[in-house]
Short mmCIF file of all heavy atoms in Angstrom, two decimals:
data_model
loop_
_atom_site.label_atom_id
_atom_site.label_comp_id
_atom_site.label_asym_id
_atom_site.label_seq_id
_atom_site.Cartn_x
_atom_site.Cartn_y
_atom_site.Cartn_z
N PRO A 1 -26.37 36.50 27.01
CA PRO A 1 -25.93 37.04 25.72
C PRO A 1 -26.25 38.53 25.61
O PRO A 1 -27.35 38.96 25.95
CB PRO A 1 -26.72 36.21 24.70
CG PRO A 1 -27.94 35.77 25.45
CD PRO A 1 -27.54 35.63 26.89
N GLY A 2 -25.29 39.30 25.15
CA GLY A 2 -25.50 40.74 25.02
C GLY A 2 -25.54 41.21 23.59
O GLY A 2 -26.51 41.83 23.15
N LEU A 3 -24.48 40.93 22.82
CA LEU A 3 -24.38 41.38 21.43
C LEU A 3 -24.08 40.20 20.51
O LEU A 3 -23.34 39.28 20.88
CB LEU A 3 -23.25 42.41 21.29
CG LEU A 3 -23.44 43.77 21.96
CD1 LEU A 3 -22.13 44.53 21.96
CD2 LEU A 3 -24.53 44.57 21.26
N LEU A 4 -24.66 40.24 19.33
CA LEU A 4 -24.31 39.32 18.26
C LEU A 4 -23.36 40.05 17.32
O LEU A 4 -23.66 41.15 16.87
CB LEU A 4 -25.56 38.87 17.50
CG LEU A 4 -26.63 38.14 18.32
CD1 LEU A 4 -27.89 37.95 17.48
CD2 LEU A 4 -26.12 36.81 18.81
N LYS A 5 -22.23 39.44 17.03
CA LYS A 5 -21.21 40.10 16.20
C LYS A 5 -20.85 39.18 15.03
O LYS A 5 -20.67 37.98 15.22
CB LYS A 5 -19.96 40.38 17.04
CG LYS A 5 -18.84 41.11 16.31
CD LYS A 5 -17.70 41.40 17.28
CE LYS A 5 -16.59 42.20 16.60
NZ LYS A 5 -15.89 41.42 15.55
N VAL A 6 -20.77 39.75 13.84
CA VAL A 6 -20.39 38.96 12.67
C VAL A 6 -19.24 39.62 11.92
O VAL A 6 -19.11 40.85 11.88
CB VAL A 6 -21.58 38.77 11.69
CG1 VAL A 6 -22.72 38.04 12.35
CG2 VAL A 6 -22.04 40.09 11.11
N ASP A 7 -18.39 38.79 11.38
CA ASP A 7 -17.34 39.21 10.45
C ASP A 7 -17.44 38.29 9.24
O ASP A 7 -17.16 37.09 9.35
CB ASP A 7 -15.96 39.10 11.11
CG ASP A 7 -15.79 40.07 12.27
OD1 ASP A 7 -15.72 41.28 12.00
OD2 ASP A 7 -15.76 39.62 13.42
N ALA A 8 -17.87 38.84 8.11
CA ALA A 8 -18.13 38.03 6.92
C ALA A 8 -17.04 38.23 5.87
O ALA A 8 -16.48 39.31 5.73
CB ALA A 8 -19.49 38.40 6.34
N GLU A 9 -16.76 37.16 5.15
CA GLU A 9 -15.81 37.19 4.04
C GLU A 9 -16.56 36.81 2.76
O GLU A 9 -17.32 35.83 2.75
CB GLU A 9 -14.65 36.22 4.29
CG GLU A 9 -13.84 36.56 5.53
CD GLU A 9 -12.75 35.54 5.80
OE1 GLU A 9 -12.66 34.56 5.02
OE2 GLU A 9 -12.00 35.73 6.77
N TRP A 10 -16.33 37.58 1.71
CA TRP A 10 -17.09 37.40 0.48
C TRP A 10 -16.19 37.15 -0.72
O TRP A 10 -15.04 37.59 -0.77
CB TRP A 10 -17.93 38.64 0.18
CG TRP A 10 -18.99 38.95 1.19
CD1 TRP A 10 -18.86 39.71 2.31
CD2 TRP A 10 -20.34 38.49 1.16
NE1 TRP A 10 -20.06 39.75 2.99
CE2 TRP A 10 -20.99 39.02 2.31
CE3 TRP A 10 -21.08 37.69 0.28
CZ2 TRP A 10 -22.32 38.76 2.58
CZ3 TRP A 10 -22.42 37.44 0.55
CH2 TRP A 10 -23.02 37.96 1.70
N SER A 11 -16.76 36.47 -1.70
CA SER A 11 -16.18 36.38 -3.03
C SER A 11 -17.16 37.06 -3.97
O SER A 11 -18.35 36.71 -4.00
CB SER A 11 -15.99 34.92 -3.45
OG SER A 11 -15.54 34.85 -4.80
N GLY A 12 -16.69 38.08 -4.70
CA GLY A 12 -17.59 38.87 -5.52
C GLY A 12 -18.16 40.02 -4.70
O GLY A 12 -17.71 40.31 -3.59
N THR A 13 -19.17 40.68 -5.22
CA THR A 13 -19.79 41.81 -4.53
C THR A 13 -20.57 41.32 -3.32
O THR A 13 -21.42 40.44 -3.45
CB THR A 13 -20.74 42.57 -5.47
OG1 THR A 13 -20.03 43.00 -6.62
CG2 THR A 13 -21.34 43.77 -4.75
N PRO A 14 -20.29 41.83 -2.12
CA PRO A 14 -21.03 41.39 -0.93
C PRO A 14 -22.54 41.57 -1.10
O PRO A 14 -22.99 42.57 -1.65
CB PRO A 14 -20.49 42.29 0.18
CG PRO A 14 -19.12 42.66 -0.28
CD PRO A 14 -19.23 42.80 -1.78
N ALA A 15 -23.30 40.59 -0.64
CA ALA A 15 -24.76 40.65 -0.73
C ALA A 15 -25.37 40.32 0.63
O ALA A 15 -26.10 39.34 0.77
CB ALA A 15 -25.25 39.68 -1.80
N PRO A 16 -25.07 41.13 1.66
CA PRO A 16 -25.52 40.81 3.01
C PRO A 16 -27.03 40.78 3.16
O PRO A 16 -27.56 40.05 4.00
CB PRO A 16 -24.91 41.92 3.87
CG PRO A 16 -24.66 43.05 2.92
CD PRO A 16 -24.31 42.40 1.63
N SER A 17 -27.76 41.55 2.34
CA SER A 17 -29.21 41.58 2.46
C SER A 17 -29.85 40.30 1.92
O SER A 17 -31.05 40.06 2.13
CB SER A 17 -29.79 42.79 1.73
OG SER A 17 -29.48 42.74 0.35
N GLU A 18 -29.07 39.47 1.24
CA GLU A 18 -29.60 38.22 0.66
C GLU A 18 -29.29 37.00 1.52
O GLU A 18 -29.60 35.88 1.12
CB GLU A 18 -29.03 38.01 -0.74
CG GLU A 18 -29.45 39.06 -1.75
CD GLU A 18 -30.97 39.08 -1.96
OE1 GLU A 18 -31.59 38.00 -1.83
OE2 GLU A 18 -31.51 40.17 -2.22
N VAL A 19 -28.68 37.21 2.68
CA VAL A 19 -28.39 36.08 3.59
C VAL A 19 -29.25 36.23 4.84
O VAL A 19 -29.05 37.15 5.64
CB VAL A 19 -26.90 36.02 3.97
CG1 VAL A 19 -26.66 34.86 4.92
CG2 VAL A 19 -26.04 35.87 2.72
N THR A 20 -30.22 35.35 5.00
CA THR A 20 -31.11 35.38 6.16
C THR A 20 -30.43 34.71 7.35
O THR A 20 -29.77 33.68 7.20
CB THR A 20 -32.43 34.65 5.84
OG1 THR A 20 -33.08 35.31 4.76
CG2 THR A 20 -33.36 34.65 7.06
N VAL A 21 -30.60 35.32 8.53
CA VAL A 21 -30.02 34.80 9.76
C VAL A 21 -31.15 34.51 10.74
O VAL A 21 -31.93 35.40 11.09
CB VAL A 21 -29.04 35.82 10.39
CG1 VAL A 21 -28.46 35.27 11.69
CG2 VAL A 21 -27.93 36.18 9.42
N ASN A 22 -31.24 33.26 11.18
CA ASN A 22 -32.22 32.85 12.18
C ASN A 22 -31.49 32.34 13.42
O ASN A 22 -30.58 31.52 13.31
CB ASN A 22 -33.14 31.75 11.64
CG ASN A 22 -33.99 32.21 10.47
OD1 ASN A 22 -34.56 33.30 10.51
ND2 ASN A 22 -34.06 31.41 9.42
N ILE A 23 -31.89 32.84 14.59
CA ILE A 23 -31.27 32.45 15.86
C ILE A 23 -32.18 31.44 16.55
O ILE A 23 -33.39 31.66 16.67
CB ILE A 23 -31.05 33.66 16.78
CG1 ILE A 23 -30.36 34.80 16.02
CG2 ILE A 23 -30.24 33.26 18.01
CD1 ILE A 23 -28.99 34.47 15.52
N TYR A 24 -31.60 30.35 17.02
CA TYR A 24 -32.36 29.32 17.72
C TYR A 24 -31.68 28.97 19.05
O TYR A 24 -30.49 29.24 19.24
CB TYR A 24 -32.43 28.04 16.88
CG TYR A 24 -33.27 28.14 15.63
CD1 TYR A 24 -32.72 28.57 14.43
CD2 TYR A 24 -34.63 27.80 15.65
CE1 TYR A 24 -33.49 28.67 13.27
CE2 TYR A 24 -35.40 27.90 14.50
CZ TYR A 24 -34.83 28.33 13.31
OH TYR A 24 -35.59 28.43 12.18
N ALA A 25 -32.45 28.36 19.92
CA ALA A 25 -31.92 27.79 21.16
C ALA A 25 -32.36 26.34 21.24
O ALA A 25 -33.46 25.98 20.77
CB ALA A 25 -32.41 28.56 22.38
N GLY A 26 -31.51 25.50 21.84
CA GLY A 26 -31.86 24.09 21.96
C GLY A 26 -30.92 23.37 22.90
O GLY A 26 -29.95 23.95 23.41
N ASN A 27 -31.18 22.09 23.13
CA ASN A 27 -30.36 21.28 24.03
C ASN A 27 -29.01 20.95 23.39
O ASN A 27 -28.89 20.85 22.16
CB ASN A 27 -31.09 19.98 24.38
CG ASN A 27 -32.31 20.21 25.24
OD1 ASN A 27 -32.37 21.19 25.98
ND2 ASN A 27 -33.29 19.34 25.13
N ASP A 28 -28.02 20.73 24.24
CA ASP A 28 -26.69 20.40 23.72
C ASP A 28 -26.63 18.99 23.15
O ASP A 28 -25.62 18.58 22.58
CB ASP A 28 -25.62 20.60 24.79
CG ASP A 28 -25.83 19.72 26.01
OD1 ASP A 28 -26.81 18.94 26.03
OD2 ASP A 28 -25.02 19.79 26.95
N SER A 29 -27.72 18.23 23.29
CA SER A 29 -27.76 16.87 22.73
C SER A 29 -27.98 16.90 21.22
O SER A 29 -27.77 15.89 20.54
CB SER A 29 -28.88 16.06 23.40
OG SER A 29 -30.14 16.69 23.22
N VAL A 30 -28.39 18.06 20.69
CA VAL A 30 -28.59 18.19 19.24
C VAL A 30 -27.23 18.39 18.58
O VAL A 30 -26.58 19.41 18.78
CB VAL A 30 -29.52 19.37 18.91
CG1 VAL A 30 -29.68 19.53 17.40
CG2 VAL A 30 -30.88 19.19 19.57
N THR A 31 -26.80 17.43 17.80
CA THR A 31 -25.48 17.51 17.16
C THR A 31 -25.53 17.38 15.65
O THR A 31 -24.52 17.52 14.98
CB THR A 31 -24.55 16.41 17.72
OG1 THR A 31 -25.17 15.13 17.52
CG2 THR A 31 -24.30 16.63 19.22
N SER A 32 -26.72 17.10 15.09
CA SER A 32 -26.87 17.01 13.64
C SER A 32 -28.33 17.25 13.28
O SER A 32 -29.23 16.71 13.92
CB SER A 32 -26.43 15.63 13.13
OG SER A 32 -26.57 15.54 11.72
N VAL A 33 -28.54 18.10 12.25
CA VAL A 33 -29.88 18.42 11.79
C VAL A 33 -29.90 18.32 10.27
O VAL A 33 -29.12 18.98 9.59
CB VAL A 33 -30.32 19.84 12.22
CG1 VAL A 33 -31.69 20.18 11.66
CG2 VAL A 33 -30.32 19.96 13.73
N SER A 34 -30.80 17.47 9.76
CA SER A 34 -30.89 17.30 8.31
C SER A 34 -32.22 17.77 7.75
O SER A 34 -32.36 17.93 6.53
CB SER A 34 -30.68 15.83 7.94
OG SER A 34 -31.65 15.01 8.59
N SER A 35 -33.21 17.99 8.62
CA SER A 35 -34.52 18.42 8.14
C SER A 35 -34.72 19.90 8.43
O SER A 35 -34.24 20.76 7.71
CB SER A 35 -35.63 17.58 8.79
OG SER A 35 -35.53 17.61 10.21
N THR A 36 -35.42 20.22 9.52
CA THR A 36 -35.64 21.62 9.91
C THR A 36 -35.26 21.79 11.37
O THR A 36 -35.29 20.82 12.15
CB THR A 36 -37.11 22.02 9.74
OG1 THR A 36 -37.93 21.24 10.62
CG2 THR A 36 -37.56 21.82 8.30
N PRO A 37 -34.90 23.02 11.79
CA PRO A 37 -34.57 23.24 13.20
C PRO A 37 -35.71 22.86 14.15
O PRO A 37 -35.48 22.26 15.19
CB PRO A 37 -34.28 24.75 13.25
CG PRO A 37 -33.81 25.08 11.87
CD PRO A 37 -34.64 24.21 10.97
N SER A 38 -36.95 23.20 13.78
CA SER A 38 -38.07 22.90 14.67
C SER A 38 -38.27 21.40 14.83
O SER A 38 -38.63 20.91 15.91
CB SER A 38 -39.35 23.55 14.13
OG SER A 38 -39.64 23.10 12.82
N ALA A 39 -38.02 20.63 13.77
CA ALA A 39 -38.14 19.18 13.84
C ALA A 39 -37.09 18.59 14.78
O ALA A 39 -37.30 17.52 15.35
CB ALA A 39 -38.02 18.56 12.46
#
């Protein structure tokens, strides 16, 4: 991976500083998460 790129669409005044982004890595067997990523 080299660059992370985002294109966001907003309704109302954009508030990019209020959206937290967390990057994770994991096995491809993970297909549904209802609790926390670490769990």
Side-chain angles (χ1 to χ4, degrees):
L3 292 169
L4 299 171
K5 182 177 183 293
V6 299
D7 294 291
E9 298 177 359
W10 296 89
S11 174
T13 303
S17 61
E18 295 298 329
V19 179
T20 299
V21 179
N22 296 315
I23 311 297
Y24 291 89
N27 292 332
D28 61 0
S29 58
V30 178
T31 57
S32 180
V33 176
S34 59
S35 55
T36 64
S38 58

